mmCIF file of all heavy atoms in Angstrom:
data_model
loop_
_atom_site.group_PDB
_atom_site.id
_atom_site.type_symbol
_atom_site.label_atom_id
_atom_site.label_comp_id
_atom_site.label_asym_id
_atom_site.label_seq_id
_atom_site.Cartn_x
_atom_site.Cartn_y
_atom_site.Cartn_z
ATOM 1 N N PHE A 266 97.474 -109.411 -57.289
ATOM 2 C CA PHE A 266 98.762 -109.171 -57.921
ATOM 3 C C PHE A 266 98.780 -107.750 -58.456
ATOM 4 O O PHE A 266 97.733 -107.129 -58.680
ATOM 5 C CB PHE A 266 99.059 -110.178 -59.037
ATOM 6 C CG PHE A 266 98.049 -110.196 -60.159
ATOM 7 C CD1 PHE A 266 98.123 -109.293 -61.218
ATOM 8 C CD2 PHE A 266 97.029 -111.141 -60.171
ATOM 9 C CE1 PHE A 266 97.212 -109.328 -62.260
ATOM 10 C CE2 PHE A 266 96.095 -111.175 -61.207
ATOM 11 C CZ PHE A 266 96.187 -110.263 -62.252
ATOM 12 N N GLY A 267 99.971 -107.222 -58.621
ATOM 13 C CA GLY A 267 100.078 -105.850 -59.099
ATOM 14 C C GLY A 267 101.522 -105.426 -59.243
ATOM 15 O O GLY A 267 102.421 -106.244 -59.414
ATOM 16 N N TRP A 268 101.722 -104.127 -59.154
ATOM 17 C CA TRP A 268 103.039 -103.529 -59.349
ATOM 18 C C TRP A 268 103.466 -102.802 -58.079
ATOM 19 O O TRP A 268 102.653 -102.163 -57.416
ATOM 20 C CB TRP A 268 103.016 -102.562 -60.523
ATOM 21 C CG TRP A 268 102.660 -103.234 -61.806
ATOM 22 C CD1 TRP A 268 101.438 -103.259 -62.416
ATOM 23 C CD2 TRP A 268 103.524 -104.024 -62.621
ATOM 24 N NE1 TRP A 268 101.477 -104.002 -63.558
ATOM 25 C CE2 TRP A 268 102.757 -104.489 -63.729
ATOM 26 C CE3 TRP A 268 104.873 -104.387 -62.542
ATOM 27 C CZ2 TRP A 268 103.287 -105.285 -64.730
ATOM 28 C CZ3 TRP A 268 105.407 -105.187 -63.547
ATOM 29 C CH2 TRP A 268 104.621 -105.625 -64.618
ATOM 30 N N ALA A 269 104.751 -102.934 -57.756
ATOM 31 C CA ALA A 269 105.299 -102.312 -56.551
ATOM 32 C C ALA A 269 106.352 -101.286 -56.931
ATOM 33 O O ALA A 269 107.118 -101.479 -57.882
ATOM 34 C CB ALA A 269 105.921 -103.378 -55.648
ATOM 35 N N LYS A 270 106.383 -100.203 -56.193
ATOM 36 C CA LYS A 270 107.412 -99.178 -56.358
ATOM 37 C C LYS A 270 108.293 -99.215 -55.116
ATOM 38 O O LYS A 270 107.937 -98.663 -54.079
ATOM 39 C CB LYS A 270 106.776 -97.803 -56.531
ATOM 40 C CG LYS A 270 107.786 -96.688 -56.788
ATOM 41 C CD LYS A 270 107.079 -95.359 -56.996
ATOM 42 C CE LYS A 270 108.087 -94.248 -57.275
ATOM 43 N NZ LYS A 270 107.425 -92.939 -57.474
ATOM 44 N N PRO A 271 109.455 -99.888 -55.187
ATOM 45 C CA PRO A 271 110.339 -99.990 -54.021
ATOM 46 C C PRO A 271 111.011 -98.661 -53.711
ATOM 47 O O PRO A 271 111.043 -97.746 -54.535
ATOM 48 C CB PRO A 271 111.383 -101.035 -54.455
ATOM 49 C CG PRO A 271 110.796 -101.701 -55.658
ATOM 50 C CD PRO A 271 109.936 -100.657 -56.309
ATOM 51 N N GLU A 272 111.569 -98.585 -52.508
ATOM 52 C CA GLU A 272 112.258 -97.370 -52.088
ATOM 53 C C GLU A 272 113.467 -97.095 -52.977
ATOM 54 O O GLU A 272 113.824 -95.940 -53.225
ATOM 55 C CB GLU A 272 112.714 -97.518 -50.636
ATOM 56 C CG GLU A 272 113.262 -96.229 -50.030
ATOM 57 C CD GLU A 272 113.517 -96.373 -48.550
ATOM 58 O OE1 GLU A 272 113.329 -97.484 -48.013
ATOM 59 O OE2 GLU A 272 113.886 -95.365 -47.927
ATOM 60 N N ALA A 273 114.091 -98.154 -53.509
ATOM 61 C CA ALA A 273 115.270 -97.982 -54.359
ATOM 62 C C ALA A 273 114.928 -97.431 -55.735
ATOM 63 O O ALA A 273 115.812 -97.052 -56.507
ATOM 64 C CB ALA A 273 115.996 -99.320 -54.503
ATOM 65 N N GLY A 274 113.626 -97.396 -56.069
ATOM 66 C CA GLY A 274 113.205 -96.888 -57.362
ATOM 67 C C GLY A 274 112.826 -97.998 -58.316
ATOM 68 O O GLY A 274 113.031 -99.189 -58.043
ATOM 69 N N GLY A 275 112.287 -97.622 -59.470
ATOM 70 C CA GLY A 275 111.851 -98.598 -60.446
ATOM 71 C C GLY A 275 110.495 -99.181 -60.105
ATOM 72 O O GLY A 275 109.832 -98.759 -59.157
ATOM 73 N N VAL A 276 110.090 -100.182 -60.894
ATOM 74 C CA VAL A 276 108.806 -100.844 -60.686
ATOM 75 C C VAL A 276 109.022 -102.345 -60.788
ATOM 76 O O VAL A 276 109.744 -102.827 -61.664
ATOM 77 C CB VAL A 276 107.769 -100.398 -61.744
ATOM 78 C CG1 VAL A 276 106.463 -101.162 -61.564
ATOM 79 C CG2 VAL A 276 107.515 -98.901 -61.644
ATOM 80 N N SER A 277 108.425 -103.114 -59.894
ATOM 81 C CA SER A 277 108.578 -104.570 -59.913
ATOM 82 C C SER A 277 107.227 -105.249 -59.716
ATOM 83 O O SER A 277 106.277 -104.649 -59.220
ATOM 84 C CB SER A 277 109.553 -105.017 -58.822
ATOM 85 O OG SER A 277 109.072 -104.637 -57.538
ATOM 86 N N ARG A 278 107.155 -106.510 -60.120
ATOM 87 C CA ARG A 278 105.940 -107.303 -59.938
ATOM 88 C C ARG A 278 105.760 -107.636 -58.453
ATOM 89 O O ARG A 278 106.744 -107.776 -57.725
ATOM 90 C CB ARG A 278 106.030 -108.610 -60.728
ATOM 91 C CG ARG A 278 106.258 -108.424 -62.210
ATOM 92 C CD ARG A 278 106.738 -109.727 -62.833
ATOM 93 N NE ARG A 278 107.209 -109.507 -64.181
ATOM 94 C CZ ARG A 278 106.483 -109.738 -65.275
ATOM 95 N NH1 ARG A 278 105.257 -110.220 -65.156
ATOM 96 N NH2 ARG A 278 106.977 -109.502 -66.467
ATOM 97 N N SER A 279 104.513 -107.796 -58.044
ATOM 98 C CA SER A 279 104.283 -108.105 -56.642
ATOM 99 C C SER A 279 103.013 -108.936 -56.474
ATOM 100 O O SER A 279 102.062 -108.812 -57.249
ATOM 101 C CB SER A 279 104.165 -106.820 -55.823
ATOM 102 O OG SER A 279 104.038 -107.100 -54.440
ATOM 103 N N VAL A 280 103.025 -109.814 -55.476
ATOM 104 C CA VAL A 280 101.828 -110.543 -55.059
ATOM 105 C C VAL A 280 101.505 -110.064 -53.651
ATOM 106 O O VAL A 280 102.397 -109.977 -52.800
ATOM 107 C CB VAL A 280 102.057 -112.064 -55.064
ATOM 108 C CG1 VAL A 280 100.772 -112.796 -54.668
ATOM 109 C CG2 VAL A 280 102.515 -112.523 -56.446
ATOM 110 N N ILE A 281 100.248 -109.730 -53.417
ATOM 111 C CA ILE A 281 99.848 -109.102 -52.161
ATOM 112 C C ILE A 281 98.742 -109.927 -51.506
ATOM 113 O O ILE A 281 97.755 -110.286 -52.157
ATOM 114 C CB ILE A 281 99.330 -107.663 -52.405
ATOM 115 C CG1 ILE A 281 100.369 -106.844 -53.182
ATOM 116 C CG2 ILE A 281 98.974 -106.985 -51.089
ATOM 117 C CD1 ILE A 281 100.105 -106.775 -54.667
ATOM 118 N N SER A 282 98.911 -110.231 -50.242
ATOM 119 C CA SER A 282 97.927 -110.987 -49.478
ATOM 120 C C SER A 282 97.330 -110.069 -48.419
ATOM 121 O O SER A 282 98.050 -109.516 -47.582
ATOM 122 C CB SER A 282 98.600 -112.192 -48.828
ATOM 123 O OG SER A 282 97.669 -112.945 -48.089
ATOM 124 N N ILE A 283 96.004 -109.897 -48.451
ATOM 125 C CA ILE A 283 95.324 -108.981 -47.533
ATOM 126 C C ILE A 283 94.181 -109.715 -46.833
ATOM 127 O O ILE A 283 93.400 -110.421 -47.474
ATOM 128 C CB ILE A 283 94.751 -107.757 -48.271
ATOM 129 C CG1 ILE A 283 95.861 -107.026 -49.045
ATOM 130 C CG2 ILE A 283 94.059 -106.800 -47.302
ATOM 131 C CD1 ILE A 283 95.367 -105.869 -49.883
ATOM 132 N N GLY A 284 94.095 -109.574 -45.532
ATOM 133 C CA GLY A 284 93.024 -110.239 -44.796
ATOM 134 C C GLY A 284 92.709 -109.542 -43.489
ATOM 135 O O GLY A 284 93.164 -108.427 -43.232
ATOM 136 N N TRP A 285 91.914 -110.231 -42.668
ATOM 137 C CA TRP A 285 91.477 -109.680 -41.388
ATOM 138 C C TRP A 285 91.813 -110.651 -40.267
ATOM 139 O O TRP A 285 91.580 -111.850 -40.393
ATOM 140 C CB TRP A 285 89.974 -109.410 -41.404
ATOM 141 C CG TRP A 285 89.596 -108.295 -42.318
ATOM 142 C CD1 TRP A 285 89.288 -108.372 -43.649
ATOM 143 C CD2 TRP A 285 89.505 -106.912 -41.971
ATOM 144 N NE1 TRP A 285 89.013 -107.136 -44.158
ATOM 145 C CE2 TRP A 285 89.132 -106.220 -43.152
ATOM 146 C CE3 TRP A 285 89.694 -106.189 -40.804
ATOM 147 C CZ2 TRP A 285 88.950 -104.841 -43.179
ATOM 148 C CZ3 TRP A 285 89.513 -104.820 -40.817
ATOM 149 C CH2 TRP A 285 89.144 -104.165 -41.996
ATOM 150 N N ASP A 286 92.342 -110.126 -39.182
ATOM 151 C CA ASP A 286 92.673 -110.940 -38.017
ATOM 152 C C ASP A 286 91.557 -110.787 -36.987
ATOM 153 O O ASP A 286 91.397 -109.729 -36.377
ATOM 154 C CB ASP A 286 94.011 -110.480 -37.431
ATOM 155 C CG ASP A 286 94.513 -111.414 -36.334
ATOM 156 O OD1 ASP A 286 93.729 -112.288 -35.904
ATOM 157 O OD2 ASP A 286 95.673 -111.269 -35.908
ATOM 158 N N PHE A 287 90.772 -111.863 -36.818
ATOM 159 C CA PHE A 287 89.644 -111.845 -35.891
ATOM 160 C C PHE A 287 90.012 -112.417 -34.531
ATOM 161 O O PHE A 287 89.157 -112.527 -33.649
ATOM 162 C CB PHE A 287 88.470 -112.639 -36.473
ATOM 163 C CG PHE A 287 87.878 -112.033 -37.710
ATOM 164 C CD1 PHE A 287 88.287 -112.450 -38.969
ATOM 165 C CD2 PHE A 287 86.928 -111.031 -37.623
ATOM 166 C CE1 PHE A 287 87.750 -111.893 -40.115
ATOM 167 C CE2 PHE A 287 86.386 -110.464 -38.762
ATOM 168 C CZ PHE A 287 86.794 -110.899 -40.015
ATOM 169 N N SER A 288 91.275 -112.795 -34.348
ATOM 170 C CA SER A 288 91.687 -113.400 -33.087
ATOM 171 C C SER A 288 91.906 -112.366 -31.984
ATOM 172 O O SER A 288 91.978 -112.705 -30.810
ATOM 173 C CB SER A 288 92.973 -114.205 -33.289
ATOM 174 O OG SER A 288 94.062 -113.347 -33.612
ATOM 175 N N LEU A 289 91.999 -111.110 -32.359
ATOM 176 C CA LEU A 289 92.244 -110.047 -31.397
ATOM 177 C C LEU A 289 90.933 -109.442 -30.922
ATOM 178 O O LEU A 289 89.881 -109.615 -31.546
ATOM 179 C CB LEU A 289 93.117 -108.961 -32.039
ATOM 180 C CG LEU A 289 94.440 -109.448 -32.658
ATOM 181 C CD1 LEU A 289 95.126 -108.306 -33.383
ATOM 182 C CD2 LEU A 289 95.337 -110.038 -31.581
ATOM 183 N N ARG A 290 90.986 -108.713 -29.824
ATOM 184 C CA ARG A 290 89.771 -108.064 -29.312
ATOM 185 C C ARG A 290 89.255 -107.040 -30.317
ATOM 186 O O ARG A 290 88.060 -106.873 -30.498
ATOM 187 C CB ARG A 290 90.081 -107.391 -27.962
ATOM 188 C CG ARG A 290 88.880 -106.679 -27.353
ATOM 189 C CD ARG A 290 89.177 -106.229 -25.933
ATOM 190 N NE ARG A 290 89.435 -107.371 -25.058
ATOM 191 C CZ ARG A 290 89.722 -107.251 -23.765
ATOM 192 N NH1 ARG A 290 89.794 -106.050 -23.210
ATOM 193 N NH2 ARG A 290 89.933 -108.322 -23.040
ATOM 194 N N THR A 291 90.189 -106.350 -30.965
ATOM 195 C CA THR A 291 89.841 -105.413 -32.020
ATOM 196 C C THR A 291 90.210 -106.026 -33.362
ATOM 197 O O THR A 291 91.352 -106.418 -33.571
ATOM 198 C CB THR A 291 90.598 -104.081 -31.846
ATOM 199 O OG1 THR A 291 90.292 -103.535 -30.566
ATOM 200 C CG2 THR A 291 90.202 -103.094 -32.935
ATOM 201 N N VAL A 292 89.240 -106.141 -34.270
ATOM 202 C CA VAL A 292 89.502 -106.720 -35.588
ATOM 203 C C VAL A 292 90.471 -105.820 -36.350
ATOM 204 O O VAL A 292 90.269 -104.608 -36.440
ATOM 205 C CB VAL A 292 88.193 -106.874 -36.382
ATOM 206 C CG1 VAL A 292 88.476 -107.421 -37.777
ATOM 207 C CG2 VAL A 292 87.241 -107.802 -35.634
#
Side-chain angles (χ1 to χ4, degrees):
F266 59 84
W268 299 99
K270 183 178 181 180
E272 189 172 3
V276 177
S277 60
R278 302 163 191 262
S279 184
V280 182
I281 306 98
S282 180
I283 304 176
W285 291 89
D286 188 350
F287 294 95
S288 66
L289 306 174
R290 180 171 297 180
T291 302
V292 178

